[in-house]
């Protein structure tokens, strides 16, 4: 038994090492640092975690990857069990396990307190008063309150004065200005959606800076920060303090909403959203697509987000792109008085770098660097050479992962829910792999993002699917023809 235990521990250490290498230190520390190996016996691996939330998160997002890594260590592993250990539960010595002695009784954890399930508990007022009082003390509730209220850092460059207005963003700018001006809460929540680099974060931080300057309490967080703060509060058994602190916010801003995952985290966000809106507090949310297209969100969260003002920001037209460049050149001259870009070059860049304001700034930064480092004037020829990888002669049709899922589902007579599910029957697995392959070759999305859009799968699962379809297509002419047909359907 002692040899088996040592072998199991060695296997687990190697699994953790590979997880850390694949996920990175930050993600690994957030989700796996407190996962312990309890038992490895008869093909079953039993792992323990400190909270129910962590158990649900790992089961939803990493169960398949854990199984794959354990099978790589031990061929006979066929099941991974996750259990929740008590917050104060002592680890049982291995000799005690081997001898068949019973484990110590688990103390009742405050994590199972029904008051943690929402805001509507009888002690909410008292808890809010306790949190407020704790801010002036050094206890745990005060630490939680200060940590929550700190929020993410704001970029001082992101203000209304530096935001360039155009037809594609005029409505979003007007709504953001009205929210920042205060007064009656009219648009709640305000939901901004756009592709990357079109100004969502700029507008949100401009609102946050202006409202904060007026003395009101502002909390700006990305969805991933919100998840991290909530999980940290669960670990510290201070979830109630976390919730009550959020209820004191005058303006809550959540960016990158598409990355909010996990049933319990989404329930907590929905409770927060309801409490703030019912209390006439303002909420602004931003994501890369409309609420109805956020398939990973709970239906109640999507419904609540859709109930406010939903505003999309479109790609900038030529006039807006030209104005953005002119504004940035003016700002650059404050640091480099002799910097100059001829009008024809600005027209050339505005015409050919058409995807986003962020790409325009990147293009201008290249011209600045070339000019300052080589002391050569900016000319049309220099711009063409420096920006050749950004220049596109024609704008291809932008294909979304939702389009791919819809076309593949219809072609193979399966549902979109099947593609996102954990089902592993051949009639589901092959269409899912084909959809992942098409998402990789026809969209600019990264492997982790594609995995999230296919039921929160790991990026290695997506990579396996892409390589599998590539390999099959090389030897199966019928499959290769089918893939070309699907591509033509998507390009149509």
């Amino acid at each position: 038994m002692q040899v088996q235990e040592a072998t199991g521990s060695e296997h687990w250490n190697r699994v953790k090492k590979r997880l850390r290498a694949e996920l990175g230190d930050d993600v690994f520390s957030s989700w796996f640092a407190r996962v312990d190996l309890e038992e490895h016996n008869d093909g079953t691996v039993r792992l323990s975690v400190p909270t129910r939330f962590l158990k649900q998160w790992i089961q939803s997002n990493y169960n398949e990857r854990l199984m794959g890594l354990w099978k790589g260590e031990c061929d006979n592993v066929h099941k991974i069990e996750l259990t929740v250990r008590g917050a104060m539960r002592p680890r049982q010595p291995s000799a005690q396990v081997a001898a068949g002695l019973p484990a110590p009784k688990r103390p009742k954890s405050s994590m199972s307190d029904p008051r943690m399930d929402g805001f509507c508990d009888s002690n909410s007022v008292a808890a809010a008063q306790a949190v407020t009082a704790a801010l002036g003390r050094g206890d745990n509730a005060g630490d939680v309150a200060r940590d929550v209220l700190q929020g993410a850092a704001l970029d001082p460059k992101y203000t209304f004065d530096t935001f360039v207005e155009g037809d594609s963003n005029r409505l979003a700018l007007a709504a953001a200005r009205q929210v920042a001006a205060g007064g009656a809460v009219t648009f709640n929540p305000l939901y901004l959606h756009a592709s990357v680099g079109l100004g969502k974060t700029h507008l949100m931080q401009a609102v946050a800076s202006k409202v904060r300057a007026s003395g009101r309490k502002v909390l700006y967080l990305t969805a991933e920060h919100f998840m991290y703060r909530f999980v940290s509060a669960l670990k510290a058994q201070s979830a109630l303090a976390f919730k009550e602190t959020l209820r004191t916010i005058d303006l809550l801003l959540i960016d990158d909403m598409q990355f909010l995952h996990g049933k319990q985290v989404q329930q907590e966000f929905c409770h927060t959203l309801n409490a703030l809106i019912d209390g006439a507090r303002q909420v602004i949310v931003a994501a890369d697509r409309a609420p109805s297209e956020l398939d990973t969100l709970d239906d109640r969260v999507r419904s609540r987000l859709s109930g406010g003002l939903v505003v999309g920001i479109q790609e900038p037209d030529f006039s807006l792109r030209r104005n953005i460049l002119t504004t940035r050149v003016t700002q650059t001259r404050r640091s480099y008085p002799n910097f100059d870009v001829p009008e024809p070059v600005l027209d050339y860049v505005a015409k050919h770098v058409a995807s986003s304001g962020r790409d325009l700034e990147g293009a201008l930064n290249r011209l600045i660097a070339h000019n300052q480092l080589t002391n050569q004037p900016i000319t049309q020829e220099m711009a063409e050479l420096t920006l050749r990888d950004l220049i596109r002669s024609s704008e291809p049709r932008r294909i979304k992962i939702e389009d791919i899922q819809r076309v593949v589902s219809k072609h193979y007579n399966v549902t979109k829910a099947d593609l996102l599910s954990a089902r592993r029957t051949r009639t589901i697995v092959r269409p899912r792999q084909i959809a992942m392959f098409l998402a990789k070759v026809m969209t600019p999305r990264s492997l982790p993002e594609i995995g999230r859009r296919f039921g929160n799968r790991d990026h290695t699962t997506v990579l396996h699917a892409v390589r599998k379809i590539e390999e099959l297509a090389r030897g199966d002419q019928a499959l290769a023809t089918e893939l070309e047909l699907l591509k033509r359907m998507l390009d149509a």
Side-chain angles (χ1 to χ4, degrees), residues 18 237 276 285 293 352:
R18 291 189 63 184
Q237 298 193 29
L276 290 173
V285 177
E293 298 177 10
H352 293 288

Side-chain angles (χ1 to χ4, degrees), residues 106 123 127 220 237 269 278 281-282 297 314 329 334 479:
R106 298 184 184 182
N123 297 323
Y220 170 77
Q237 298 193 29
F269 175 78
D278 293 343
R281 310 294 178 93
Q282 181 69 54
L297 285 188
Q314 307 305 317
V329 168
R334 297 172 186 169
L479 176 59

Side-chain angles (χ1 to χ4, degrees), residues 142-195:
D143 292 339
V144 171
R146 278 185 289 272
D147 184 54
V148 171
L149 290 173
Q150 183 177 0
L154 299 179
D155 190 328
K157 299 193 301 292
Y158 288 161
T159 66
F160 286 120
D161 291 337
T162 59
F163 190 87
V164 183
E165 182 179 356
D167 290 339
S168 61
N169 61 30
R170 184 166 288 116
L171 179 58
L173 175 59
R177 285 187 184 278
Q178 179 161 331
V179 169
V185 178
T186 307
F187 310 127
N188 210 13
L190 172 60
Y191 186 99
L192 305 175
H193 66 93
S195 299

Side-chain angles (χ1 to χ4, degrees), residues 110 112-124 127 240 243:
S110 62
S112 62
D113 191 333
R115 291 181 301 167
M116 296 297 150
D117 294 335
F119 286 99
C120 299
D121 59 85
S122 60
N123 297 323
S124 61
L240 185 59
K243 296 176 180 184

Side-chain angles (χ1 to χ4, degrees), residues 428-452:
I428 301 299
V429 170
R430 183 54 50 81
R432 182 188 297 139
Q433 290 177 332
I434 288 174
M436 289 181 178
F437 166 79
L438 293 173
K440 179 65 177 68
V441 300
M442 300 189 74
T443 76
R445 300 293 183 184
S446 65
L447 293 177
E449 172 66 7
I450 293 172
R452 283 192 287 267

